[in-house]
Amino acid sequence: MLHLRLIVPAARTDEATAVLEDCSGVTNIVVLPGAGRDPKGDLVLCDAARESANEVLSRLKWLETEGSIAAEQIELSLSEAARDAVHEAPGEPDDAVIWEQLSQKVYADSRITWAYLVFLAIATQLSGIAVLQNSIILIVGAMVLGPEFGAVAAICFGLLHRNGHLIVNALRTLVVGFGFAMAITYACALVSYWLGWIVPGDLDTSAEFQFIVKPDRWSFIVALLAGAAGVLSITAGKSSALIGVFISVTTVPAAGYVAVASALGDWSEVAGSVSQLAVNLAGMVIAGTLTLLVQRKFWPQVGRRSSV
């Protein structure tokens, strides 16, 4: 369940509480008159099933400008009334997409931050070292560390809602992020080459690493599956499943391979790695967008009355 905290203008408190009482899956409604100071108003508290969140937030959208709405996940609720509310709300909690929450997340993930750049640069360098050392363990670690799926999910959300501004921002985040990460990895590999630490022959990878430089139909299928699973893990709040998505796709390893191969002058392998990177990103965007479309259109209570 979600715990909602509303600050409502006193003149409209009855209207807000009437909405809460009318929505299925809402319980534990509390009104504290005059408790709000900034903004001023009455404080209204309630608990709502995830399946009911879209309807509640949509009908109280006016509070975004006239008051305030805050929501947080309830980890433990010992209440028969809460259990009845979840049972009353149509659908299942894990199937419900809270579109306002998802909107805020993808907008945040579409921004370029230093943390994003550093994580992606470290992941790409780990991939470059893994290729040179033929280390599967390092490849897996680099995949898990890569933060690029947030921007991919933002593109999917932007395509679903035809939001060109969000799509452009997310694409820029991907391009700048991978460009920065590959430039850092290229510079480090070039210095290592000058010092004699690595030589072109080090890129003679084993058969286990050929999936990085030789994309095929399976690469695209894996990317499709990963994109669908990634979006589902974000919308359902299953962060553990997102780790599996990171391990499934080879975006970061491909970027690391491009940087190292460029530094060693092995241009024959660069094109394959670039293609692998493009195939993975395209597959995830296609599958992620289709998954969001299905969630909004067909699943019970998913997106009902959503104003996003």
Side-chain angles (χ1 to χ4, degrees):
M1 295 195 73
L2 297 176
H3 179 67
L4 302 180
R5 183 180 70 250
L6 318 176
I7 297 181
V8 187
R12 304 192 68 176
T13 298
D14 290 342
E15 178 184 349
T17 54
V19 169
L20 297 177
E21 292 169 352
D22 182 57
C23 292
S24 61
V26 178
T27 188
N28 298 333
I29 301 173
V30 177
V31 178
L32 301 176
R37 290 293 180 267
D38 185 17
K40 292 184 178 180
D42 297 338
L43 178 62
V44 180
L45 308 173
C46 69
D47 297 333
R50 281 179 57 90
E51 310 93 295
S52 303
N54 286 327
E55 182 177 3
V56 173
L57 295 175
S58 178
R59 295 177 64 179
L60 294 177
K61 183 72 172 178
W62 50 272
L63 279 176
E64 187 174 350
T65 54
E66 297 187 37
S68 174
I69 305 178
E72 57 186 350
Q73 185 71 37
I74 298 176
E75 298 297 334
L76 175 64
S77 178
L78 302 177
S79 167
E80 186 173 344
R83 287 193 295 271
D84 290 342
V86 172
H87 181 72
E88 176 188 359
E92 295 295 330
D94 284 349
D95 291 343
V97 182
I98 304 174
W99 293 100
E100 291 285 356
Q101 182 184 57
L102 180 60
S103 175
Q104 289 195 3
K105 177 173 177 52
V106 297
Y107 269 98
D109 289 342
S110 70
R111 294 196 294 264
I112 300 174
T113 65
W114 281 112
Y116 167 80
L117 293 175
V118 170
F119 273 120
L120 192 53
I122 293 174
T124 305
Q125 288 190 72
L126 285 176
S127 294
I129 296 172
V131 168
L132 293 168
Q133 298 297 313
N134 281 329
S135 173
I136 291 292
I137 293 177
L138 280 179
I139 282 287
V140 172
M143 288 174 169
V144 173
L145 191 59
E148 73 278 6
F149 190 78
V152 172
I155 294 174
C156 298
F157 190 87
L159 289 172
L160 180 71
H161 295 284
R162 300 179 183 178
N163 188 328
H165 179 71
L166 178 60
I167 295 171
V168 170
N169 282 347
L171 282 173
R172 182 176 58 194
T173 297
L174 284 176
V175 172
V176 172
F178 275 109
F180 175 81
M182 292 166 67
I184 295 295
T185 304
Y186 171 83
C188 291
L190 196 60
V191 171
S192 298
Y193 175 67
W194 289 338
L195 293 175
W197 293 355
I198 60 175
V199 295
D202 291 337
L203 279 178
D204 294 334
T205 57
S206 63
E208 293 150 329
F209 283 80
Q210 291 303 301
F211 68 94
I212 298 177
V213 295
K214 294 182 178 179
D216 54 23
R217 71 189 71 177
W218 297 109
S219 301
F220 186 66
I221 291 173
V222 169
L224 289 175
L225 295 173
V231 166
L232 285 173
S233 68
I234 291 176
T235 56
K238 303 291 185 181
S239 58
S240 58
L242 196 57
I243 296 175
V245 174
F246 295 153
I247 299 175
S248 301
V249 293
T250 56
T251 49
V252 168
Y257 199 102
V258 169
V260 173
S262 299
L264 295 177
D266 193 348
W267 303 109
S268 62
E269 300 286 4
V270 170
S273 298
V274 172
S275 298
Q276 182 70 279
L277 178 61
V279 164
N280 276 272
L281 290 175
M284 286 192 293
V285 167
I286 292 171
T289 304
L290 290 176
T291 301
L292 286 176
L293 180 63
V294 170
Q295 287 179 300
R296 185 178 68 174
K297 191 172 183 64
F298 297 109
W299 289 8
Q301 281 294 300
V302 178
R304 187 163 79 90
R305 293 190 180 179
S306 174
S307 59
V308 179

